[in-house]
Amino acid sequence: MPTINDVAKAAGVSPSTVSYVLSGRRPISAETRARVQAAIAELGFHPHAGARALASSKTNVIALVAPLRVDVNVPVIMQFATAVVTAARSYNHDVLLLTKDEGTAGLERVAHSTMVDALILMDLERDDLRIPALRRLKQPSVLIGLPADHTGIACVDLDFGAAAREALSHLAGHGHRRIGLVGPSPAVYKRQTTYADRFLTGFLDASVDLGLRTVTHPCEPGAEGVRSCMADLDAELDGITALVVHNEEALRPLLDLLHATGRRIPEDISVVAVCPRDVATAMPVALTSIDIPAHDVGTLAVETAMRLLDGRSVEYTRLLAPSLVERDSCREISASHR
Amino acid sequence: MPTINDVAKAAGVSPSTVSYVLSGRRPISAETRARVQAAIAELGFHPHAGARALASSKTNVIALVAPLRVDVNVPVIMQFATAVVTAARSYNHDVLLLTKDEGTAGLERVAHSTMVDALILMDLERDDLRIPALRRLKQPSVLIGLPADHTGIACVDLDFGAAAREALSHLAGHGHRRIGLVGPSPAVYKRQTTYADRFLTGFLDASVDLGLRTVTHPCEPGAEGVRSCMADLDAELDGITALVVHNEEALRPLLDLLHATGRRIPEDISVVAVCPRDVATAMPVALTSIDIPAHDVGTLAVETAMRLLDGRSVEYTRLLAPSLVERDSCREISASHR
DNA sequence: TTGAAAGCGCTACCAT
DNA sequence: ATGGTAGCGCTTTCAA
């Protein structure tokens, strides 16, 4: 492997000049630049990442901490990861993939050993133990999620509270007055993943504001979980005409159950889902949905990290506005039915 | 951040001694070791990864090249990634995540700049353009898949040919004589992802060996794709009593279709799926399936990379034996029905 | 069993 | 506009 010295000799310049051609940090005459670039190309020179990191204290790598268990929402995780890697590359950075199960130790390991310039974390919990650790790192971090005390740490996420309000106001606008929420699994609430709470709070607030009768219930995965969740909802509120589903996994078995029990969508019951676009459209009935903009969130997380890295200002809490797309699962209820 | 020199001073030894305590590459007296370790702990010393890489020419990082498009089998990809990261950590390595769309350039970039010690690639195509590039790298690589000419490059995968044989022999053992294959989407064949071919070849060979009447067809995603695939299969072969499904995405719509057309599983038609265990069990009818052992394959890929890195011998083609698990989707056909 | 010191390949400061 | 060079923090010979 050729080094910067080899290039310098081949081009008849000093190593520092080669370095400056590479970094553009000082003016170089067109002629010199051309000679250097020719030498670089000819020798197939690639700067040694470690040497660079050592000399410059920058690695051009960011850590992405992902929940690699299978129990969580796999497609959404993949979309975040894709977006983060793609965005990082567009800023000339690479991505080191860490798993959440390494916990605080993993963060400290990569940060203290200077493997990364910044960290992006997903699947944050309400009182996530990693947050105090992040504060102690010299590298900045960006969270995808919104834990309780995130003072001084940048957070990016969908505005789940607004998403709930949007779902309800869409249904209310179609004349629905009795609405059930099929929530995430109890495990999600237990883990204190904050989006569940934020959605629920928004849902309850909006119910009051819009004067709706609503009922909410978590939903275990699988056909049995869906069955019992629906039974609970129906038991607690008569004449439900619409469901909001904030549980991607439950979506499919729920539609099956509704079908099996003869409740047609949207004739007998309307449904608004919160899930990625492609999941909504892949269902037997294309679902009116609020998108989880994983791509936008991931990209924004990287942008935020980059701003932090070069000392520019950032908004420390960035909640993306939800957008509801109408498809085939919601129906207008005529006044006589209300 | 404390350096190795700080630790050396604190422990009253030379920096090299600290280094040897860390690496264990030469004997250190118990007493000295203790002093050094105390100093390391007290100062919170973590060796600088870049400095280490520069001095030792080892990064302790491996690249994982994944297809981060959403069109491919997302859960399986995640399982591979999880396994690779976990296994890598167990060997004290980290994982740099690359996307397939960077192509050859991405591989060369991370390899030439010495960011990684080895590479693991998934989603290989039959005549993958990246293979010649891999051969030129100084770092070893391991493929998850089996492209046409993989001379000199280690490959790890499920033995899809054997998987097809296993599926057919299971069905034949249950008395089935007319069997259809619901294959991957045409896009997969077009992309020349080799597992499709290997499965198909195994399927056709086994049909002959077992004296079966079989018919095969690719299957577009979605309800419509499944419908037309089944129509083709039925048209080409009367009285199909069993299906082999090598298409995870098609599984769900296929079961819906069979249900809708009154073909009960397993009473009217038996099904063997090739998919991850949890996908098989999540279906309305728990499916007899051949597992895609993503975890094992990923782990083995890392082990192979590690062996390569420390110059140990490896098998250059490692095809894992399939294992079929009986569940509720296959039925014995009595002799009178044959 | 331990120490000294020469690099590893690059960046960035100080010169000119 | 360019060159010289002192580190960056570690590993690893060579010596003792």
Side-chain angles (χ1 to χ4, degrees):
Chain A
M1 299 265 92
T3 73
I4 202 171
N5 281 298
D6 299 328
V7 174
K9 277 170 201 155
V13 298
S14 76
S16 58
T17 297
V18 177
S19 177
Y20 285 117
V21 167
L22 251 24
S23 69
R25 289 180 172 287
R26 83 177 179 191
I28 302 282
S29 73
E31 185 197 9
T32 304
R33 191 203 324 286
R35 278 217 317 289
V36 169
Q37 276 162 348
I40 288 173
E42 189 186 351
L43 298 178
F45 168 72
H46 292 260
H48 187 292
R52 218 168 205 187
L54 181 56
S56 70
S57 308
K58 293 150 90 314
T59 63
N60 274 36
V61 175
I62 63 183
L64 173 64
V65 188
L68 290 191
R69 301 171 281 193
V70 190
D71 69 285
V72 264
N73 208 328
V74 177
V76 176
I77 301 292
M78 279 284 284
Q79 288 177 30
F80 279 127
T82 309
V84 167
V85 174
T86 308
R89 286 303 307 136
S90 79
Y91 288 100
N92 194 31
H93 281 244
D94 276 285
V95 172
L96 197 74
L97 181 61
L98 304 182
T99 59
K100 190 187 174 191
D101 63 284
E102 272 204 80
T104 299
L107 307 177
E108 289 171 342
R109 184 171 56 78
V110 298
H112 289 153
S113 61
T114 325
M115 299 186 76
V116 301
D117 295 335
L119 301 93
I120 295 180
L121 282 73
M122 42 202 298
D123 196 35
L124 277 290
E125 290 163 29
R126 187 165 208 309
D127 297 296
D128 207 294
L129 290 172
R130 296 171 295 177
I131 298 198
L134 289 175
R135 290 213 178 84
R136 282 181 227 114
L137 303 181
K138 64 168 190 269
Q139 292 93 338
S141 38
V142 178
L143 311 183
I144 294 178
L146 196 65
D149 177 14
H150 56 270
T151 321
I153 298 189
C155 297
V156 177
D157 207 351
L158 171 63
D159 189 337
F160 279 95
R165 289 192 285 281
E166 176 107 359
L168 280 184
S169 94
H170 179 78
L171 289 169
H174 281 61
H176 295 273
R177 290 294 171 266
R178 290 162 173 264
I179 302 174
L181 169 64
V182 176
S185 76
V188 168
Y189 286 108
K190 212 166 296 154
R191 214 168 67 223
Q192 308 248 51
T193 313
T194 66
Y195 64 81
D197 286 341
R198 290 185 279 142
F199 193 89
L200 185 57
T201 304
F203 188 91
L204 296 174
D205 289 352
S207 309
V208 174
D209 295 349
L210 297 168
L212 304 174
R213 299 279 309 256
T214 62
V215 55
T216 71
H217 227 276
C219 180
E220 297 272 11
E224 194 33 60
V226 166
R227 193 183 321 277
S228 96
C229 175
M230 274 309 295
D232 289 336
L233 292 176
D234 283 329
E236 290 169 35
L237 179 61
D238 263 355
I240 289 177
T241 64
L243 294 174
V244 174
V245 185
H246 183 209
N247 185 328
E248 201 177 313
E249 264 200 297
L251 226 32
R252 187 57 213 239
L254 177 66
L255 297 201
D256 290 346
L257 174 66
L258 293 175
H259 182 78
T261 53
R263 294 164 96 165
R264 294 161 303 167
I265 301 172
E267 293 81 355
D268 303 315
I269 192 159
S270 292
V271 172
V272 174
V274 181
C275 65
R277 198 179 306 279
D278 47 317
V279 171
T281 58
M283 293 291 151
V285 179
L287 300 178
T288 292
S289 75
I290 294 179
D291 190 29
I292 298 187
H295 186 85
D296 295 349
V297 172
T299 303
L300 186 55
V302 171
E303 281 172 15
T304 305
M306 293 302 143
R307 295 188 68 96
L308 252 12
L309 282 179
D310 40 53
R312 283 139 76 210
S313 66
V314 302
E315 276 186 64
Y316 275 83
T317 304
R318 213 55 162 77
L319 295 184
L320 301 190
S323 91
L324 182 147
V325 175
E326 288 203 54
R327 297 201 183 83
D328 309 331
S329 63
C330 287
R331 183 189 176 218
E332 186 86 28
I333 296 206
S334 61
S336 58
H337 285 72
R338 295 181 191 177
Chain B
M1 299 266 93
T3 73
I4 201 171
N5 282 298
D6 300 327
V7 174
K9 276 170 199 153
V13 298
S14 75
S16 58
T17 296
V18 177
S19 178
Y20 285 117
V21 167
L22 250 24
S23 69
R25 289 180 171 287
R26 82 177 180 191
I28 302 283
S29 72
E31 184 197 9
T32 304
R33 190 203 324 286
R35 279 216 318 287
V36 169
Q37 275 163 347
I40 287 175
E42 189 187 351
L43 299 178
F45 168 71
H46 293 260
H48 187 292
R52 223 170 201 188
L54 181 56
S56 69
S57 307
K58 292 150 92 317
T59 63
N60 273 37
V61 175
I62 65 183
L64 173 64
V65 188
L68 291 190
R69 303 171 281 194
V70 189
D71 68 285
V72 263
N73 208 327
V74 177
V76 177
I77 301 293
M78 279 284 284
Q79 289 177 30
F80 279 127
T82 309
V84 167
V85 174
T86 307
R89 285 304 305 138
S90 79
Y91 288 100
N92 195 31
H93 280 245
D94 275 286
V95 172
L96 197 74
L97 182 61
L98 303 182
T99 60
K100 191 187 174 190
D101 63 282
E102 271 203 81
T104 299
L107 307 177
E108 290 171 341
R109 184 172 56 78
V110 299
H112 289 154
S113 62
T114 325
M115 299 185 77
V116 301
D117 295 335
L119 302 93
I120 294 180
L121 283 74
M122 42 202 296
D123 195 35
L124 277 291
E125 291 163 29
R126 185 163 210 311
D127 299 294
D128 207 295
L129 290 171
R130 296 171 294 177
I131 298 198
L134 289 176
R135 290 213 179 83
R136 282 181 229 115
L137 302 181
K138 64 168 189 268
Q139 291 93 339
S141 37
V142 178
L143 311 183
I144 294 178
L146 196 64
D149 176 15
H150 57 271
T151 321
I153 297 189
C155 297
V156 177
D157 206 352
L158 171 63
D159 188 338
F160 279 95
R165 288 191 286 281
E166 175 106 1
L168 280 185
S169 94
H170 180 78
L171 289 169
H174 282 61
H176 295 272
R177 290 295 172 264
R178 292 164 171 262
I179 302 174
L181 170 64
V182 177
S185 75
V188 168
Y189 287 107
K190 212 165 297 152
R191 212 167 70 224
Q192 308 248 52
T193 313
T194 65
Y195 64 80
D197 287 340
R198 289 184 279 143
F199 193 88
L200 185 56
T201 304
F203 188 91
L204 297 175
D205 289 353
S207 309
V208 173
D209 295 349
L210 297 167
L212 305 174
R213 299 278 310 257
T214 63
V215 55
T216 71
H217 227 276
C219 181
E220 297 273 12
E224 194 33 61
V226 166
R227 193 182 322 275
S228 95
C229 175
M230 274 309 294
D232 289 336
L233 291 175
D234 284 329
E236 290 170 35
L237 180 61
D238 263 354
I240 288 178
T241 65
L243 294 173
V244 174
V245 186
H246 184 208
N247 185 328
E248 200 178 314
E249 264 198 300
L251 228 31
R252 188 55 211 238
L254 176 66
L255 297 201
D256 290 347
L257 173 66
L258 294 174
H259 183 77
T261 53
R263 295 163 96 165
R264 293 161 303 167
I265 301 173
E267 291 83 355
D268 303 314
I269 191 160
S270 291
V271 172
V272 174
V274 181
C275 65
R277 199 179 305 280
D278 47 317
V279 172
T281 58
M283 293 291 152
V285 178
L287 299 178
T288 292
S289 74
I290 294 179
D291 190 29
I292 297 187
H295 186 85
D296 295 349
V297 172
T299 303
L300 185 55
V302 172
E303 280 172 15
T304 306
M306 293 301 143
R307 295 188 68 97
L308 252 13
L309 282 179
D310 41 52
R312 282 138 75 210
S313 66
V314 303
E315 276 186 65
Y316 274 84
T317 304
R318 223 31 177 88
L319 295 184
L320 301 190
S323 91
L324 182 148
V325 175
E326 288 204 54
R327 297 201 183 83
D328 310 332
S329 62
C330 287
R331 185 193 175 212
E332 186 85 26
I333 296 204
S334 60
S336 58
H337 285 72
R338 295 180 191 176

